[in-house]
Amino acid sequence: MASFFQKRDPWGHSFSLWVVVFMIFITPVLFGVLREIRQENNVENWLPPNDPQSKVLSWHRKSFGIEDRLLLSWEGSSLTDLRADRLKTLLLGTPDEKGILRGGSPYIQNVLTPQDAIRKMVEYRVEPDEAQERLKGVLLGTGALKIQLTEAGRKRQEQTIQELIGKAKSELGIELTVKPAFKEWVEIVDESNEAEIVETPASDDEEQVDFQALVAEIPSHDFQVTWPRMQPASQLSEQIQQLALSLKRPTILPETKSEKSEKTADAAATHPALVKDCFFAVGTPIAVAIELSDTGDADHAAAVAAVKAAASKSGIPEAGLHMGGRPVAGAALNRMVKESSWNTAYPVWQFHKRSVTLFSGLIGIALAFLMLRSLRLSCLVLLVSYYTTFVAVSIVPLTGGTMNMVLVVMPTLLTVLTLSGSIHVANYWKHAAHVDMKNAVSQAVEMARAPCMMASLTTAIGLASLMTSPLSPVRDFGLYSSIGCLISLLMILYGLPSLLQLWPGKPPKESDVDTRHWQKLGRVLSRHQVLVSMSCLIIFAVSCYGFKWFRTETKVIKYFPDSSRVIQDYLFLEENLSGITPVDTVICFDEAAQKNMNFVERVELVRKIQQKIAEHPEISGSISLADFRPVSEPLPENASTFQKLRNAKRVNETERRVRESLKTGDAKSFLYIADEAIEMEQETANGDRSVAVNKGDELWRITAQVAIMTDLNYGHLTRDLNQVTQSVLRDHAGTTHLVTGTIPLFLRTQQAVLESLIKSFGLAFAVIAVVMMILLRSPTAGLITMLPNLMPIGVVFGLISWMKMPVDIGTMITASVALGIAVDGTLHLLTWFKIGIEEGKTKSEAVAAAMGHCGPAMWQTSAAVGISLAMLYPAELLLVSRFGILMSALIAAALLADIIFLPALLAGPLGSLIVASHKKDQAAAANAPLLQDGKATKPHLPQAIKRTQSETTLET
């Protein structure tokens, strides 16, 4: 029967022509579809809506009306800085005659300045100094460590600074950065300045606060120092303060022994201190909290751009502006994902920076040209590889999908996978063309069909196994990549051969198919198969021990390089002002608890919990509705009736005002009266617990700010918050609590990453192992064959665990992908080993022949794919960079496993099992029913394979 590539249509045209015509026809259609592709990198949407933690967070945000917000600050800012109010006016607009805001940004819902918060607290009879202290670590920072010198220190200030820097470096290993002393902002009027000065209209209702007096309370000092990951309440801060206070002026002349032993009263005068005091002072810098509207939440990039434009217009210099929060990180992530594909900031001649992913693909093509030694074959491989990627990526917008930080590596992956299969087909074509140029295409496809189909299907299985993940980016990657893998198979078996048939070339030279060195390697491995196998197993076992330190990481901010602007902004905010990540503790009072405690008592209970939470060393500050109320002392037991009536009136008045503010929206973000019953599951260190909220329950929200730029174990933090809250609530019946927010979501996502890694890899391993068992007709042989396929994953992931490197969502997907790729070379080698056994060769001869056939292709594909993926390493987005370098390492390990470990196994126990299975098949064939002509049925090899195998034997 004629093959597909030998058939012709009624008009005499080859079927290959119609394949190429179809490829050309759908190209413009897919170009139009590809233009509609969108970005989506919202980490909070990774988990499915029915996930318990997602349910809690969704209910929490809906109940308290929490919108996405970003935190904005700038260097040198303080409470007397008028630019904060100007920025607020520009973003929200000015009220018209009816009180409706006009001229603001559609991306902004609300703006809260520290001045607003202090005025509101003062309105509720909180002293300004106390109000400022309550906002510390939330909207007010302490800035750098301020150093006040003595008179002796001022006389030699430069020497004192250098001595402090040197001692901090030698004794504590800390690099100190010196900054000028804080100076209150003074507006400089410059008529040539084009920045519009926006005056904020004063409100008659606002409580007048003397912010000038608050700023003036910052003690005078001579300079400031800061250091990486600075935290005012940390042990390191105390050590640096003690180090500064210990600085003494050295003596000019060396002391004698008697002078050293003397301890006179004027010793202090002989060695005067250089530093009088060092301290952190609350009040500078300040932060402005900006809540996004639904429009801003839908387009983080536009919202961030609008805020930057308003900041510039209000007089804040761009160089000193710092922003943080999920919208900022999301916008930066989307931008860097796009820039990894095409970054116009670099000129065309710096193509390796302009498009890291395209450069990676081009390197693969260049390597393919060097390996294949044919310009024609390299051009065809280039066309097929990129065309496959183009079609596969077009499916994303065609099915309503969006591009994300994980899916961005799919184009490069499909390019190199197609490149790998195409090089195998090209090598089969070279073998066939050396014997019969006319039928070389059909013979190459006949040789490649079985191993390429098995390799592509197993790779697709490995990719599809990722669809079991609860994380949406991983599921999307698994779905679209497995579809792309099947498209790649069609292009390898039909697209490339069609192009080869329509663009025929000259037959390859005899030197192009010389495989003597690979056959020699196969014979050496066969002779030392025990030593080689045991060495590989020992390396495998030692590497796998590293899984003892395996851990995951899901913080999006960790995907950015340290030099990026977003990282520098985050560091400034967390070192000088507050933690970026909020964690919320919700206190629930049921009807019984509300009857047992009056409103003021509930306020004080919430305040007590908040104070205990704020004592945690990893929390920079916290805020709740209790901060907007003065501290209320409980009534003495012997209080008079008049005192009780007066207190009851005060309690009722307080509750009335708060209830009214709930209607206007002022207190909605801190207090919520449940309007429906709901039951939620909360994950804790002691297991899941159920929290029921009934209609009419009173819910109080305490928000604490936590640093995200540290290696803090969020699991320990949530455990501590649960314990602290429970220690207070256990004595009050009818109360319960929930810990929610971004941090518990991070924990759940980390757990989901680990679950995805185990489940997807386990499923892929099981399916591929079953395929191997069926293919080899032996369960034992199938399991042994999986050892070389497991070895790359065990060695690489074991080593990165040894090095304490966390596995993020990008590196997680490489395990299942690498398993599928490793099976590719295994299947090709097994196919030709079995052919050698069927031809009557010994195990050693069959290994040598299989290495001669598959070694060049495996080496070429691994080199082309591995090196091209390694070109992703310079990518600024660390997610892409880590994916590239890890995949490159896995492919290199897979190559070594396939050309060293697998041949040794084939020359040993695995080969014996395959030989035994072959003898059993021969015995079964001998007893098979006879055909009509009296001859027994007998399995036969394709003619092309026989002919090529005979040629290889002659060369040997």
Side-chain angles (χ1 to χ4, degrees), residues 28 188 331 351 764 790 796 852 878 927:
I188 300 175
F351 191 76
L790 280 177
V796 174
L878 297 183
N927 298 325

Side-chain angles (χ1 to χ4, degrees), residues 278-435:
C278 48
F279 52 87
F280 290 97
V282 63
T284 176
I286 64 172
V288 178
I290 302 172
E291 290 186 4
L292 303 186
S293 63
D294 291 339
T295 305
D297 191 33
D299 192 347
H300 286 167
V304 171
V307 171
K308 285 183 177 179
S312 177
K313 202 173 182 181
S314 61
I316 301 171
E318 184 180 357
L321 180 67
H322 303 283
M323 292 193 297
R326 194 170 68 87
V328 176
L333 185 62
N334 285 341
R335 188 187 73 251
M336 293 191 75
V337 167
K338 291 179 181 178
E339 289 176 354
S340 65
S341 299
W342 193 255
N343 188 357
T344 56
Y346 294 100
V348 177
W349 58 84
Q350 291 184 333
F351 191 76
H352 63 288
K353 294 183 178 180
R354 191 176 184 115
S355 179
V356 177
T357 53
L358 286 178
F359 179 71
S360 171
L362 289 177
I363 290 296
I365 299 304
L367 290 170
F369 170 73
L370 293 176
M371 301 295 181
L372 296 173
R373 301 178 186 177
S374 168
L375 178 62
R376 183 180 64 90
L377 283 178
S378 299
C379 290
L380 295 182
V381 165
L382 166 66
L383 178 61
V384 169
S385 299
Y386 276 104
Y387 189 83
T388 300
T389 304
F390 167 68
V391 174
V393 174
S394 300
I395 294 177
V396 176
L398 195 64
T399 55
T402 57
M403 202 60 124
N404 55 58
M405 67 179 77
V406 179
L407 208 56
V408 72
V409 299
M410 183 185 73
T412 302
L413 177 65
L414 291 179
T415 300
V416 296
L417 283 177
T418 309
L419 180 67
S420 173
S422 299
I423 291 177
H424 274 291
V425 171
N427 273 277
Y428 287 142
W429 177 85
K430 288 166 70 175
H431 278 285
H434 188 65
V435 179

Side-chain angles (χ1 to χ4, degrees), residues 225-293:
V225 294
T226 184
W227 57 91
R229 306 295 192 270
M230 180 179 66
Q231 291 182 333
S234 67
Q235 183 179 359
L236 179 59
S237 296
E238 294 180 4
Q239 291 175 337
I240 293 176
Q241 287 176 294
Q242 293 298 323
L243 184 66
L245 292 171
S246 68
L247 295 179
K248 305 288 183 181
R249 190 182 69 183
T251 55
I252 299 175
L253 298 175
E255 296 177 331
T256 64
K257 290 183 179 180
S258 59
E259 289 175 331
K260 286 182 180 181
S261 61
E262 290 180 358
K263 295 183 179 180
T264 59
D266 61 345
T270 308
H271 306 284
L274 299 175
V275 176
K276 182 178 182 181
D277 194 10
C278 48
F279 52 87
F280 290 97
V282 63
T284 176
I286 64 172
V288 178
I290 302 172
E291 290 186 4
L292 303 186
S293 63

Side-chain angles (χ1 to χ4, degrees), residues 520-639:
K520 182 179 179 180
L521 175 61
R523 288 191 288 270
V524 171
L525 292 172
S526 297
R527 285 197 300 269
H528 305 284
Q529 55 93 8
V530 175
L531 177 62
V532 172
S533 299
M534 293 305 298
S535 300
C536 291
L537 286 172
I538 291 172
I539 293 172
F540 185 30
V542 171
S543 300
C544 286
Y545 184 75
F547 283 108
K548 178 180 178 181
W549 299 282
F550 184 86
R551 61 190 179 98
T552 59
E553 173 63 78
T554 56
K555 296 177 185 176
V556 173
I557 197 66
K558 296 292 187 177
Y559 300 150
F560 297 95
D562 291 340
S563 59
S564 64
R565 177 62 186 268
V566 66
I567 290 290
Q568 297 305 312
D569 286 351
Y570 269 60
L571 288 175
F572 174 86
L573 291 172
E574 294 197 342
E575 291 171 0
N576 294 276
L577 204 140
S578 76
I580 298 295
T581 306
V583 57
D584 289 349
T585 304
V586 179
I587 313 300
C588 178
F589 297 92
D590 64 11
E591 292 185 2
Q594 293 176 48
K595 290 178 181 179
N596 294 333
M597 291 181 286
N598 63 44
F599 189 81
V600 172
E601 288 173 338
R602 299 197 294 273
V603 170
E604 293 308 314
L605 183 63
V606 170
R607 192 194 310 277
K608 183 178 180 181
I609 296 172
Q610 180 186 350
Q611 289 172 348
K612 284 185 171 292
I613 288 175
E615 291 172 0
H616 196 285
E618 298 296 342
I619 289 177
S620 65
S622 61
I623 191 168
S624 72
L625 187 62
D627 285 321
F628 293 85
R629 304 296 311 170
V631 177
S632 299
E633 297 295 335
L635 279 176
E637 294 181 0
N638 58 350

Side-chain angles (χ1 to χ4, degrees), residues 797-876:
F797 275 87
L799 289 178
I800 65 175
S801 299
W802 267 104
M803 294 184 288
K804 309 294 178 64
M805 293 174 57
V807 173
D808 58 37
I809 195 171
T811 55
M812 183 211 76
I813 63 178
T814 59
S816 297
V817 175
L819 181 61
I821 293 176
V823 172
D824 186 355
T826 301
L827 285 168
H828 282 281
L829 199 67
L830 281 175
T831 300
W832 288 101
F833 177 81
K834 289 177 67 178
I835 290 173
I837 295 298
E838 290 171 0
E839 291 187 339
K841 291 183 173 66
T842 63
K843 288 190 297 181
S844 177
E845 292 170 344
V847 167
M851 288 287 286
H853 265 282
C854 302
M858 287 194 296
W859 149 250
Q860 291 167 6
T861 55
S862 297
V865 173
I867 296 175
S868 62
L869 282 172
M871 294 300 105
L872 294 175
Y873 180 71
E876 292 187 6

Side-chain angles (χ1 to χ4, degrees), residues 124-197:
Y124 284 96
R125 300 188 302 278
V126 177
E127 292 298 321
D129 289 347
E130 177 64 22
Q132 179 180 244
E133 187 66 25
R134 291 180 182 184
L135 289 176
K136 183 177 72 173
V138 180
L139 293 178
L140 289 176
T142 56
L145 178 65
K146 296 165 180 61
I147 307 292
Q148 186 182 49
L149 299 176
T150 62
E151 191 64 33
R154 290 193 186 96
K155 289 180 180 179
R156 56 191 314 275
Q157 181 167 332
E158 288 301 321
Q159 294 93 326
T160 301
I161 291 174
Q162 294 303 318
E163 188 177 352
L164 178 60
I165 293 174
K167 281 200 170 186
K169 176 69 175 177
S170 60
E171 296 183 18
L172 302 176
I174 298 296
E175 292 280 356
L176 295 182
T177 302
V178 178
K179 293 184 176 182
F182 165 73
K183 290 184 179 180
E184 187 178 353
W185 175 77
V186 178
E187 184 172 18
I188 300 175
V189 179
D190 186 1
E191 297 180 356
S192 63
N193 189 0
E194 297 181 1
E196 181 182 351
I197 302 299

